[in-house]
């Protein structure tokens, strides 16, 4: 999942996390999501509502694809072909996981700009969705921690990637032994989850929301 690949003068290939699908005509879909290489992207998937007789992978939300599309200046790119990289649709087995995932999807589509790379945020939201999947099979206390980290992690990384967070940032309500870099690494799956009390995660989320609003970003 690196830079966009130019397949030819007419086609490009990118990694893409689908976050919303909308019916378009009787057989097609408009799919919105994010790409580490291209930021927010909207695709027209012709025939996307039909069940493939060839056993192809349906286009659905919370799936990561490698998409080949026709390059154009239009905001709506024409989906040509795709291979499935990862299916995170298991989130749907839990209503709470689905709620948090839906919140993250709305946040991403409200704030990630089209054409602006977001590699760190892409990794963080993918890791959050993965944690929401595995939370389903864990005990209640652990699930609640994973739900909180799934919200806080991507918000921290989004703030960092947009220049609103630094090692000197204060006001999170956490003690000085809580290293922001460790939290950022946690968000991207580079290290485990630190042992914070539920109220600490809640204060951290409130702090992130206040920074986002200060930066004129939208919070669902």
């Amino acid at each position: 999942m690196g830079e966009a690949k130019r397949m030819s003068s007419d086609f490009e290939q990118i990694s893409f996390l689908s976050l919303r699908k909308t019916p378009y005509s009787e057989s097609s879909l408009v799919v919105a999501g994010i790409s580490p290489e291209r930021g927010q992207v909207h695709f027209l998937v012709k025939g996307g509502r039909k069940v493939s007789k060839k056993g192809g992978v349906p286009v659905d939300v919370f799936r990561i694809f490698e998409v080949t599309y026709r390059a154009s200046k239009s905001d709506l790119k024409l989906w040509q072909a795709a291979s499935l990289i990862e299916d995170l649709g298991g989130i749907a087995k839990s209503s709470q996981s689905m709620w948090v995932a839906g919140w993250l999807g709305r946040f991403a589509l409200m704030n990630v700009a089209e054409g602006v790379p977001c590699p760190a945020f892409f990794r963080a939201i993918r890791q959050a969705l993965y944690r929401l999947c595995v939370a389903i099979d864990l005990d209640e206390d652990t699930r609640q921690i994973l739900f909180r980290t799934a919200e806080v992690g991507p918000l921290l990384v989004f703030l960092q990637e947009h220049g609103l967070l630094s090692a000197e940032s204060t006001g999170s309500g956490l003690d000085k032994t809580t290293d922001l870099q460790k939290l950022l690494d946690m968000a991207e799956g580079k290290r485990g989850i630190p042992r914070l009390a539920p109220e600490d995660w809640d204060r951290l989320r409130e702090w992130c929301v206040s920074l986002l609003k200060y930066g004129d970003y939208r919070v669902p």
Side-chain angles (χ1 to χ4, degrees):
M1 298 181 189
E3 296 182 356
K5 301 174 185 176
R6 174 73 69 173
M7 309 299 291
S8 69
S9 59
D10 296 322
F11 296 96
E12 290 187 3
Q13 187 178 74
I14 58 170
S15 302
F16 175 73
L17 168 62
S18 57
L19 295 172
R20 184 180 68 211
K21 64 176 184 178
T22 307
Y24 184 87
S25 76
E26 293 183 358
S27 61
S28 299
L29 291 171
V30 171
V31 183
I34 60 172
S35 159
E37 306 96 338
R38 292 284 186 257
Q40 186 166 165
V41 185
H42 295 245
F43 287 113
L44 173 61
V45 187
K46 292 186 176 180
R49 299 177 66 185
K50 296 180 179 179
V51 177
S52 174
K53 295 180 180 179
K54 297 180 180 179
V57 178
V59 180
D60 208 346
V61 295
F62 307 130
R63 287 178 169 173
I64 300 175
F65 297 92
E66 196 77 23
V67 179
T68 300
Y69 68 97
R70 185 181 294 278
S72 73
K73 295 181 180 179
S74 169
D75 292 337
L76 194 58
K77 311 300 183 186
L78 186 57
W79 180 295
Q80 295 291 315
S83 57
L84 180 66
I85 298 175
E86 188 170 15
D87 185 356
L88 298 163
I91 291 166
K93 295 178 182 178
S94 162
S95 59
Q96 190 168 1
S97 287
M98 197 65 182
W99 188 93
V100 176
W103 188 92
L104 286 171
R106 292 193 299 275
F107 174 82
L109 295 176
M110 285 177 174
N111 296 288
V112 174
E114 294 184 26
V116 179
C118 57
F121 181 69
F122 185 93
R123 291 191 296 270
I125 200 168
R126 180 263 161 202
Q127 184 64 32
L129 294 174
Y130 170 76
R131 286 178 171 139
L132 291 173
C133 283
V134 301
I136 295 167
D137 299 319
L138 302 175
D139 64 87
E140 181 62 22
D141 289 342
T142 305
R143 278 203 304 271
Q144 293 305 318
I145 292 298
L146 288 181
F147 292 145
R148 286 176 166 88
T149 61
E151 288 189 67
V152 170
L155 297 185
L156 282 170
V157 172
F158 184 91
L159 288 165
Q160 172 78 355
E161 206 161 41
H162 288 78
L164 292 173
L165 198 65
S166 70
E168 293 75 32
S169 296
T170 58
S172 65
L174 302 178
D175 62 58
K176 294 181 180 179
T177 62
T178 303
D179 189 331
L180 278 176
Q181 187 57 54
K182 290 180 180 178
L183 289 171
L184 291 166
D185 289 344
M186 175 276 299
E188 294 189 45
K190 297 176 182 178
R191 64 168 61 233
I193 298 171
R195 293 185 177 182
L196 300 180
E199 56 268 26
D200 287 332
W201 287 111
D202 292 341
R203 282 196 294 269
L204 191 53
R205 184 188 187 282
E206 291 172 6
W207 178 61
C208 289
V209 169
S210 68
L211 289 178
L212 288 163
K213 291 181 176 178
Y214 175 79
D216 289 328
Y217 292 102
R218 299 172 63 190
V219 179

